[in-house]
Amino acid sequence: TRCVVKTIVVDDELFARKMLVEQLEELSVGGIYEFDDGEMALEFVKKNQIECAFLDVQMPGVTGIDLARRLHEIDEEIKVVFITAHERYAYDAYQVNGISYLLKPYTKNDIEETVDKLYRIKPKPTEGKIRIKTFGGFEVYVEGERLSFSRSKSKELLALLVDKRGILLNNQQVAAYLWEDIPYDNNLKESLKKVNQALKASLKKAGIEDLLVDGYNKKGIDVTKIQCDYYDALEGKRGAFDAFQGDYLCCYSWAEISNAYLIQKQEIERGRWHDYVSDNL
């Protein structure tokens, strides 16, 4: 039995919107709420949990593509279906993690196939309680709460270990990244010790001290305990590059090589998708 929590349909064309709503109601797609304006739809979603969104791509003001991005900022699990008269928007739908798109003029059968696809997609399992954002800066969230750091260098140390993806670094290697050209003398060893202690204290306070792998003269993280946008992009997960603007760990100079690699990978992924769309038109 189908039962969606709430579904929104956003289309400024009255006839097309009413037809789609009528078809969805016949398919028993839970509660359906319709809007002719993206901003009104956003205000509704801020106050109500929804599962699916059918969005017209070409609307005045907020386009369907922009609306999808903003909806996913509210809830990344919302399943988005784009409504469009042009197949060229398929790549844009892919970039903002669209599930599917209805090509106008669509038929009742098209709508039913799309709804069936929505119900075959299961919600993503929770990938641990630690989420790390590396695009546009570095932030760590523990069960939705942002982790605070008592020292900026302890935050940078964790960012470095995230970048290394589980590879263990010795103290001298860590110091070379964090302080670059400063000689590794007793003063620097003491500074690193304090930074390490501060990081441990922050992680312990948040109840995630086991994230850190800290052996004798070796440091790393347990990558199985986190969900990270950087790792998703490296694995080629769909929509992983949505928030990437060439700004991976932009506060840290040592991240420039990884950032350049991501830029190159993003261009390759775009090329592959364009080739796929061209071959299937």
Side-chain angles (χ1 to χ4, degrees):
T1 302
R2 291 174 176 153
C3 184
V4 175
V5 178
K6 286 184 176 71
T7 295
I8 62 171
V9 175
V10 188
D11 192 336
D12 63 310
E13 294 182 33
L14 178 62
F15 178 77
R17 186 176 74 248
K18 290 296 183 183
M19 189 186 81
L20 178 56
V21 169
E22 182 179 323
Q23 296 293 338
L24 291 174
E25 286 175 342
E26 289 184 12
L27 294 170
S28 301
V29 183
I32 304 169
Y33 300 81
E34 55 179 293
F35 303 90
D36 61 4
D37 175 84
E39 293 292 350
M40 291 176 63
L42 276 171
E43 289 304 311
F44 177 83
V45 175
K46 288 175 183 177
K47 300 174 183 177
N48 298 271
Q49 181 183 358
I50 71 165
E51 185 173 339
C52 301
F54 289 78
L55 311 178
D56 185 32
V57 171
Q58 293 179 294
M59 294 187 293
V62 180
T63 68
I65 300 296
D66 291 334
L67 180 56
R69 290 193 178 98
R70 293 169 70 178
L71 288 175
H72 282 156
E73 288 175 1
I74 298 171
D75 182 356
E76 62 182 10
E77 297 299 328
I78 294 173
K79 301 169 186 175
V80 173
V81 176
F82 288 104
I83 308 165
T84 177
H86 304 284
E87 265 193 290
R88 67 173 181 269
Y89 290 112
Y91 175 68
D92 294 323
Y94 169 82
Q95 284 295 92
V96 293
N97 216 15
I99 297 298
S100 184
Y101 64 98
L102 286 168
L103 190 62
K104 295 179 180 180
Y106 42 77
T107 65
K108 182 178 180 180
N109 186 61
D110 292 333
I111 297 171
E112 186 162 7
E113 287 181 357
T114 298
V115 170
D116 285 340
K117 181 177 180 180
L118 292 176
Y119 281 91
R120 289 196 301 268
I121 297 170
K122 305 297 183 183
K124 292 188 294 183
T126 302
E127 301 180 50
K129 65 179 182 179
I130 308 170
R131 182 172 65 88
I132 295 180
K133 182 179 81 73
T134 63
F135 298 161
F138 179 71
E139 297 295 345
V140 180
Y141 298 88
V142 182
E143 295 183 338
E145 297 293 325
R146 189 169 67 177
L147 182 66
S148 60
F149 298 86
S150 59
R151 289 171 173 258
S152 61
K153 280 294 181 185
S154 65
K155 184 176 183 178
E156 183 178 359
L157 171 56
L158 183 56
L160 174 65
L161 299 180
V162 169
D163 178 73
K164 297 306 175 186
R165 290 177 286 153
I167 295 174
L168 297 179
L169 302 178
N170 62 41
N171 290 339
Q172 193 163 353
Q173 289 172 320
V174 170
Y177 281 107
L178 267 57
W179 286 278
E180 296 186 350
D181 298 327
I182 298 177
Y184 187 64
D185 56 16
N186 289 333
N187 289 333
L188 194 57
K189 289 179 183 178
E190 186 62 26
S191 295
L192 179 56
K193 181 180 178 181
K194 291 178 180 178
V195 166
N196 194 46
Q197 289 172 341
L199 176 57
K200 285 183 176 180
S202 294
L203 298 180
K204 185 175 182 179
K205 185 176 181 181
I208 57 169
E209 61 267 29
D210 58 346
L211 172 63
L212 193 63
V213 178
D214 191 19
Y216 177 72
N217 195 33
K218 292 284 185 179
K219 292 176 179 60
I221 60 165
D222 183 349
V223 297
T224 66
K225 297 185 182 299
I226 67 172
Q227 185 270 320
C228 179
D229 52 3
Y230 175 45
Y231 298 174
D232 288 347
L234 292 180
E235 292 171 14
K237 289 187 178 180
R238 186 176 180 183
F241 278 106
D242 287 358
F244 180 64
Q245 303 292 329
D247 52 1
Y248 168 73
L249 293 178
C250 50
C251 299
Y252 309 124
S253 60
W254 46 259
E256 290 175 359
I257 293 176
S258 296
N259 188 59
Y261 175 76
L262 284 170
I263 292 172
Q264 183 182 42
K265 183 174 177 62
Q266 184 182 46
E267 290 302 315
I268 292 172
E269 292 295 325
R270 283 175 174 167
R272 285 174 178 168
W273 180 252
H274 279 303
D275 289 344
Y276 172 80
V277 172
S278 298
D279 292 344
N280 287 274
L281 287 179

